[in-house]
Amino acid sequence: MTAQPRGRRRGNPDTRAAILAAARERFAASGFGGTTIRSIAGAAGVDPALVHHYFGSKDDLFVAALELPVDPRAVMAQQVVGPLEGAGERLLRALLGVWDDPQVQPALLAMVRRLVEPGGDALFREGFLPVVLLPLGQAMGVERPERRMPLVASQVIGVILLRYVVRAAPLADWDADLVVATYAPVLDGFLAGPLP
Amino acid sequence: MTAQPRGRRRGNPDTRAAILAAARERFAASGFGGTTIRSIAGAAGVDPALVHHYFGSKDDLFVAALELPVDPRAVMAQQVVGPLEGAGERLLRALLGVWDDPQVQPALLAMVRRLVEPGGDALFREGFLPVVLLPLGQAMGVERPERRMPLVASQVIGVILLRYVVRAAPLADWDADLVVATYAPVLDGFLAGPLP
């Protein structure tokens, strides 16, 4: 499940770029579930084995196609996975650590904008949710992650929008501790509290 | 503060359209606070009195420039204003009532997309927030609305994104009662609970 370290991504850069372009086009058109490595290889005009050689699993290829400066699964596995107690705080701290990094933020903003564009719904629903969010919920021992993790996402995305996209006070001005103090209880409720 | 009923909006449709176009351009460039009726009138090539005649106050003109199928201030005043107790539920029910209406939803989706586009930050921060959200918080008797209403917005926008934009389960499939049961306690906490 972990992404290949960059150092091991050898091979023809044109071939890699063609595979990534085909992957983005296929994932956008058919969603994550409806896309096969074989169909991406066909669209890129390469052998499926070459796709696996360059990118690993379909999950890995999906994350690579997001063109994020960090692999969200690696960040989550290192900083968020652990007991359910305190999970809301760990999740927020990992998220703020990545988003508050000025090197990383522009690519994340671009991803949020893609999400809201027509067609971006499949990117979230059939890609980011099953590849990143649900495995994270399972790794934290969340009960019924398919129901709880979207609720977590509904609060996290709103914090991201107010703090980083529209940059509204007070969220845009608060330090990480204030954001964590405000939202960790909400996330803990969604992760482990009673569901309606 | 209430918008003029449509039936009273007489006058030359070209002049109205020119004023609205100038208002959108000015609000986007300078924000709500940095824009005057006089500057909009100048950009549209009309007398400021004519802007007031067609659109009423600057607040009214801003809401008209959003091109929403409903005036959010009217919906809020009718359905949300009241005691702080139960305010989270009233706010959610009013919001879901408008968003679940298929006649209204496309224009609201377009507004959400404008919000996330480059430049959309001022639309929210210097327009929607002072014209719609802060007066609503004041009318509900919220303490420190400039601090609490953005927190409310951070959750409400996330619900809108998951339910209507990316249409992710379970939020997209739940009826209004389930959404209210899940999120009213969160909103009540932001509206009246302890702040960090």
Side-chain angles (χ1 to χ4, degrees), chain A residues 113 116 118 121 124-125 147 150-151 154-155 157-158 161-162 165-170 174 178 181-183 186 190 196, chain B residues 113 116 118 121 124-125 147 150-151 154-155 157-158 161-162 165-170 174 178 181-183 186 190 196:
Chain A
R113 295 202 166 102
V116 177
D121 53 329
F124 179 86
R125 218 174 43 226
R147 179 168 268 227
L151 304 183
S154 77
Q155 180 61 89
I157 288 175
L161 276 174
L162 269 278
V165 181
V166 305
R167 300 191 299 277
W174 276 353
L178 272 173
T182 304
Y183 289 102
V186 176
F190 289 150
Chain B
R113 295 202 166 103
V116 177
D121 53 329
F124 179 87
R125 217 173 45 225
R147 179 167 270 227
L151 304 183
S154 77
Q155 179 61 90
I157 287 175
L161 276 173
L162 270 278
V165 180
V166 305
R167 300 192 300 278
W174 276 353
L178 271 173
T182 303
Y183 289 101
V186 177
F190 289 150

Side-chain angles (χ1 to χ4, degrees), chain A residues 167-180:
Chain A
R167 300 191 299 277
L171 271 167
D173 313 317
W174 276 353
D175 63 20
D177 288 341
L178 272 173
V179 178
V180 168

